[in-house]
Amino acid sequence: MAGWNPFKRKTPAKAARIEALQTAVVKPLIREAHRRGNEAGGLPRFNTTASDQMSGRGGDRFALVRAKLRHAFTPSQPVADRRLFAGRDDTLKTIIRAIEDQRLHVVLYGERGIGKTSLLHVLSQAASEARYIVVYTSCGANSNFDETFRAAAAEIPLLFHSGFSPTAEVTERGSTLADLLPSEPLSPRKFGDLCAKLTGTRVLIILDEFDRAESGSFRRDVAELIKNLSDRLGRVQLVLAGVAADLTELVEHIPSIRRNIFALRVPKMSEGEVMQIVANGEREADLKFDTPAGAFVVEVARGSPYIANLICHHAGHAALDQGRATVAPADVANAVDRAILEFQGRIPTPAQARVRRLFEQGRQDALAMTARAALAADGVFDTADLESSNEITARKAQEAVEVLVSEGLVKPSPGEGPSQRYAFVEEGLPTLIWMIWAQRNLNREPQPQSTRAATAS
């Protein structure tokens, strides 16, 4: 066998196979390589420049629509354009009344992706229109009182301090309250004393992502400042927002300031509000979602503005990739596939493997019902939530929870109450499970009887 070459001797059949391979695969690849080498646009390119202008290279007749689509649906960013702000009218009105009529400080809390930051942006715009001085800060793990409120003081002109004349030299050169602060670390009392001397304006200090602050002393100092500002009738009000299941989880020492704050859990969106997200995007991006596609978005989103924007964003691009400006249910199904890939990158592999195994074992009902209850209850739920969310019996609800607890996907949640509460071990699991269920069942084929309980409204 030495020197044997399997390619040396060609039979007629082998020659035919080689010719077919060259025609079907090799020659097209060579032509594509020559095309890319000869044409400037051979490889994928950005459609817009860094200044958000069209690149002018052409090649995609929907390039302008894609640019509008990116602005219309922004799953990775809060809504900053009031034209794209969907629903929440009553919530925004309630917050404004608490600030304006009752002079209360405000605490917003709720699950991640529910739209707190978007709500704060729109509130900031409304307050600025009313000539409030608005100071917006996004908290971090290392946030401390001195740094945070020195920065806030630097945004408040000395013009509004009762101790300085508008024509004083320091006022005219643009000095701020920060110029009056002592060099030693700032305390709630010192900052409160300074704010008590403001006149002729009102100030709104917004601390977003307050839950990220790890310092207990920072949280206590903020609570102390709220008490101080309220007692001194200060013209400065605080708005805190963060991920939390309840008020006390977000703000420490609540009893001392309870009468000084208005606390609001940001609710999930109604079906009508989710459809408003779709309608806003249609208007801004020159796209059309047909009726079944819009209904599909509502079902998958489960009241989450983040999920609604994510699905609409991907669905719009899926339609444009097919040369259409109308989004069909198949495009929404494609969007669900893409969203699942994104979420899988955020969930540990062992948890994903357990979810896949339960789906393969036919336990999709337990997964879907429990995920739906968790999404409806902001992450922490009990068997009563399963019953009401899925219209099932108490026994079936308990069985569904026990399956997921035994698999290590759900764990008992500490807290007081008449019944045991539960939560998924990973924050993103309920959404991932629900989207996998949607991927397998919604708009793909008629739903079997066994899965209808999971989608009963």
Side-chain angles (χ1 to χ4, degrees):
M1 298 294 291
W4 180 75
N5 186 342
F7 301 101
K8 186 175 182 180
R9 182 172 175 269
K10 290 184 180 180
T11 64
K14 182 181 292 185
R17 287 197 300 273
I18 292 174
E19 179 64 26
L21 180 65
Q22 289 177 335
T23 301
V25 179
V26 178
K27 290 180 180 179
L29 288 175
I30 292 174
R31 286 196 298 270
E32 176 65 14
H34 283 301
R35 184 188 68 80
R36 287 190 173 186
N38 294 329
E39 298 180 13
L43 291 172
R45 293 179 179 271
F46 286 84
N47 290 314
T48 54
T49 66
S51 60
D52 294 331
Q53 302 298 313
M54 301 306 298
S55 65
R57 292 193 178 96
D60 186 350
R61 66 189 179 95
F62 287 119
L64 182 58
V65 180
R66 290 182 190 277
K68 292 179 179 179
L69 181 63
R70 289 191 289 272
H71 176 70
F73 300 113
T74 56
S76 60
Q77 297 176 329
V79 175
D81 188 335
R82 294 177 69 173
R83 295 176 305 166
L84 297 174
F85 188 72
R88 309 295 198 197
D89 289 357
D90 290 340
T91 302
L92 186 60
K93 185 184 299 182
T94 300
I95 295 170
I96 290 175
R97 285 178 175 173
I99 293 171
E100 185 175 37
D101 296 340
Q102 298 178 269
R103 303 303 186 199
L104 293 171
H105 305 271
V106 175
V107 178
L108 302 178
Y109 60 97
E111 65 176 285
R112 198 175 309 281
I114 204 62
K116 296 181 296 297
T117 299
S118 296
L119 191 58
L120 291 178
H121 280 304
V122 176
L123 173 65
S124 297
Q125 292 177 38
S128 296
E129 288 176 355
R131 306 249 179 127
Y132 278 66
I133 295 173
V134 180
V135 181
Y136 179 94
T137 299
S138 184
C139 298
N142 298 319
S143 290
N144 63 74
F145 189 88
D146 181 79
E147 180 181 351
T148 299
F149 287 92
R150 279 185 187 275
E155 298 292 324
I156 306 172
L158 197 58
L159 170 68
F160 298 106
H161 191 288
S162 61
F164 292 84
S165 166
T167 58
E169 180 184 352
V170 289
T171 303
E172 290 186 339
R173 69 167 178 251
S175 297
T176 68
L177 292 194
D179 297 314
L180 303 181
L181 296 177
S183 58
E184 63 265 20
L186 188 60
S187 69
R189 179 172 293 279
K190 290 177 182 176
F191 187 78
D193 290 345
L194 194 60
C195 291
K197 297 176 182 178
L198 289 176
T199 184
T201 191
R202 289 193 173 275
V203 180
L204 212 57
I205 299 178
I206 299 175
L207 302 182
D208 196 7
E209 299 191 88
F210 191 67
D211 57 296
R212 294 182 59 200
E214 296 177 355
S215 170
S217 63
F218 175 61
R219 292 169 179 258
R220 288 190 294 271
D221 285 346
V222 170
E224 181 62 30
L225 177 61
I226 289 175
K227 183 72 165 59
N228 188 292
L229 290 171
S230 298
D231 290 348
R232 301 286 300 276
L233 304 178
R235 301 177 69 86
V236 177
Q237 290 162 272
L238 269 59
V239 178
L240 314 181
V243 177
D246 55 44
L247 178 61
T248 54
E249 186 179 320
L250 189 64
V251 183
E252 295 185 24
H253 296 277
I254 282 296
S256 64
I257 61 171
R258 192 176 296 276
R259 67 184 179 88
N260 306 125
I261 63 174
F262 172 76
L264 176 68
R265 175 194 288 273
V266 180
K268 286 189 173 294
M269 283 187 155
S270 67
E271 292 185 356
E273 289 175 325
V274 174
M275 280 307 302
Q276 190 176 341
I277 291 177
V278 177
N280 286 348
E282 286 182 322
R283 182 191 66 239
E284 294 297 316
D286 295 331
L287 274 177
K288 174 66 177 176
F289 282 71
D290 68 23
T291 301
F296 195 178
V297 171
V298 170
E299 184 63 27
V300 176
R302 303 306 308 160
S304 166
Y306 166 70
I307 297 299
N309 273 280
L310 180 66
I311 297 300
C312 287
H313 174 88
H314 286 318
H317 281 291
L320 296 177
D321 289 343
Q322 295 298 316
R324 290 181 280 103
T326 298
V327 179
D331 301 315
V332 182
N334 182 293
V336 171
D337 295 342
R338 299 187 191 187
I340 288 173
L341 288 177
E342 289 188 25
F343 270 82
Q344 285 176 336
R346 308 169 193 171
I347 304 295
T349 302
Q352 292 185 48
R354 291 195 291 272
V355 168
R356 285 195 298 270
R357 185 171 66 250
L358 287 176
F359 268 109
E360 291 166 0
Q361 292 174 353
R363 298 294 187 93
Q364 67 271 6
D365 284 6
L367 285 164
M369 290 189 297
T370 312
R372 179 182 176 127
L375 291 172
D378 292 345
V380 181
F381 60 94
D382 58 20
T383 54
D385 292 320
L386 261 76
E387 294 176 53
S388 60
S389 296
N390 301 283
E391 296 184 354
I392 58 174
T393 64
R395 180 183 61 80
K396 190 168 183 63
Q398 186 62 43
E399 289 176 354
V401 171
E402 289 174 355
V403 166
L404 271 62
V405 169
S406 66
E407 287 291 332
L409 294 172
V410 166
K411 62 183 179 181
S413 178
E416 299 178 358
S419 60
Q420 177 63 61
R421 309 280 284 169
Y422 300 90
F424 277 83
V425 295
E426 295 290 339
E427 184 181 280
L429 266 178
T431 301
L432 175 63
I433 289 170
W434 182 252
M435 287 196 294
I436 292 175
W437 192 93
Q439 180 191 51
R440 295 187 178 208
N441 294 278
L442 297 177
N443 196 50
R444 296 301 178 93
E445 56 187 25
Q447 297 177 34
Q449 185 69 34
S450 62
T451 62
R452 288 178 186 163
T455 55
S457 298

